[in-house]
Amino acid sequence: MSDSLVSPDQLTNETLESKDLKGLPSLVILTGMSGAGRTEGMHVFEDLGYFCIDNLPASLITQVLDLTHQGTEDETRVAVVCDTRNRAYFGSINEQLQAIKDRGIDYCIVFLDAADDKLVSRYKSSRRRHPLCDDGMTIGQGIQLERSLLYNLREASHHVIDTTDMLPQQLRTTLRGLFASGEEREGLAVSVYSFGFKHGAALDADIVIDVRFLPNPYWDPDLRKLTGLDAPVRDFVMYRTETEEFLAKWKALLDTLMPGYVQEGKQQLAIAVGCTGGQHRSVALAEATGDYLKSQGYRVSVAHRDLKLANVRG
């Protein structure tokens, strides 16, 4: 019988915080009804660093484990989607589960389910054919056949997640609550980097801040050859009325934006801070931005795209 049945009304911070996130399984088998969210679920495991394979025949599960653990000292966490699309091979699922148990591999089965009428509606809106519908069969008949084939696997699942009334965001949050490490659940991964507009735009950034309105240390001969990582330039940029006013409003904007990104389930966020050459102002303020986000509990990396071009021009 399943260890847990997760539904939207159970989706609370208290529920997620109470989970024991230590000793995560080395193998996750994601299964369930077609149209219940398996593709969305696999994206979550990809974001969490699992080695992921979609639509894997059940007979190949142990072979995949052999390959992913071969010659590696560190354990590779694997997530596979295994379901009835491969009807000819699905019958071996019980043998594979027994083989996994015999080898002492820690595994977890996650079953995604939804009400029949919701599954029918999703298939009609997608205009895709149900994988078990042969010629002359209705979507409803395909769903009933799939339920019968998956009955025993559903009963053996560790977690059954009802996605009937879930938005994709809620499914992502549920799976992260079950399988993300404590560090990963502290927030999305944020990359903050400085750049110079004269070297090209920040094309991969989600947020771009232009700080060219601030006084430029380049015009001070003593600071021209230095960078925003040097104390004299940092002090020149940071200890000004204009910068203090900007930072107060910039931090307030981040305080509004960041929780929304986390709530939406965003996993990666890139913030680019630009000045003319990417040497002085943008470097100092990218460092300040990174320090502030770290103080708020986010996982942050800071880089300086054009600092290698420093001292060419300001």
Side-chain angles (χ1 to χ4, degrees):
M1 194 68 177
S2 304
D3 288 348
S4 66
L5 176 62
V6 184
S7 57
D9 61 331
Q10 295 172 302
L11 198 62
T12 64
N13 290 333
E14 183 178 355
T15 298
L16 299 182
E17 293 296 338
S18 66
K19 296 292 182 184
D20 180 7
L21 299 176
K22 297 180 180 180
L24 294 174
S26 58
L27 170 66
V28 174
I29 299 173
L30 184 63
T31 188
M33 300 296 293
S34 300
R38 294 179 313 223
T39 299
E40 188 68 40
M42 186 54 71
H43 291 162
V44 173
F45 287 105
E46 289 175 350
D47 291 338
L48 294 177
Y50 280 78
F51 180 83
C52 297
I53 303 177
D54 189 15
N55 196 17
L56 181 72
S59 57
L60 299 180
I61 293 177
T62 52
Q63 294 183 47
V64 167
L65 291 174
D66 291 338
L67 290 172
T68 54
H69 288 74
Q70 191 174 52
T72 60
E73 295 182 2
D74 297 329
E75 182 183 44
T76 300
R77 291 191 293 171
V78 179
V80 301
V81 174
C82 186
D83 49 57
T84 57
R85 283 174 288 178
N86 292 292
R87 277 185 274 182
Y89 304 99
F90 187 72
S92 64
I93 184 67
N94 290 330
E95 290 178 21
Q96 289 290 300
L97 293 179
Q98 188 59 52
I100 293 168
K101 291 178 183 178
D102 292 343
R103 293 169 61 172
I105 296 173
D106 183 24
Y107 74 96
C108 180
I109 304 174
V110 179
F111 191 102
L112 302 184
D113 203 351
D116 288 359
D117 59 341
K118 178 64 73 171
L119 294 174
V120 170
S121 175
R122 290 173 182 172
Y123 263 97
K124 284 186 175 180
S125 64
S126 71
R127 299 183 180 180
R128 293 179 57 237
R129 179 176 179 173
H130 190 282
L132 296 190
C133 279
D134 295 325
D135 291 341
M137 290 181 63
T138 66
I139 296 175
Q141 289 172 326
I143 290 172
Q144 290 307 310
L145 175 58
E146 187 174 36
R147 284 203 182 282
S148 65
L149 293 173
L150 289 172
Y151 178 81
N152 290 332
L153 188 57
R154 188 185 193 280
E155 290 297 297
S157 297
H158 300 84
H159 302 288
V160 177
I161 301 177
D162 182 359
T163 70
T164 301
D165 298 314
M166 277 189 178
L167 297 173
Q169 167 197 337
Q170 291 175 300
L171 175 57
R172 292 193 296 268
T173 301
T174 301
L175 289 172
R176 286 199 306 273
L178 292 171
F179 294 97
S181 69
E183 179 182 341
E184 287 167 322
R185 290 183 54 238
E186 287 174 0
L188 70 162
V190 185
S191 299
V192 180
Y193 68 90
S194 65
F195 74 99
F197 280 95
K198 73 178 184 181
H199 302 302
L203 299 178
D204 60 344
D206 300 291
I207 301 172
V208 179
I209 294 294
D210 183 351
V211 297
R212 288 177 292 183
F213 69 93
L214 295 172
N216 192 351
Y218 173 80
W219 301 114
D220 185 330
D222 294 332
L223 303 179
R224 185 169 299 177
K225 297 294 186 180
L226 302 178
T227 76
L229 298 176
D230 297 309
V233 172
R234 184 172 62 249
D235 293 346
F236 179 96
V237 173
M238 302 300 293
Y239 298 122
R240 310 185 72 89
T241 301
E242 305 99 310
T243 305
E244 291 173 354
E245 291 178 355
F246 163 72
L247 278 177
K249 294 176 181 178
W250 174 223
K251 290 176 181 178
L253 178 61
L254 289 172
D255 290 342
T256 300
L257 294 175
M258 301 302 288
Y261 286 128
V262 172
Q263 185 65 27
E264 282 296 312
K266 192 172 181 65
Q267 293 291 301
Q268 302 284 336
L269 179 71
I271 301 174
V273 183
C275 65
T276 304
Q279 177 181 343
H280 296 118
R281 295 164 290 180
S282 62
V283 172
L285 287 165
E287 290 286 334
T289 300
D291 289 343
Y292 178 70
L293 291 174
K294 288 176 185 176
S295 73
Q296 301 304 301
Y298 295 98
R299 294 179 291 126
V300 182
S301 61
V302 179
H304 304 291
R305 192 192 74 179
D306 298 325
L307 200 55
K308 61 183 179 294
L309 303 175
N311 298 331
V312 176
R313 276 211 245 161

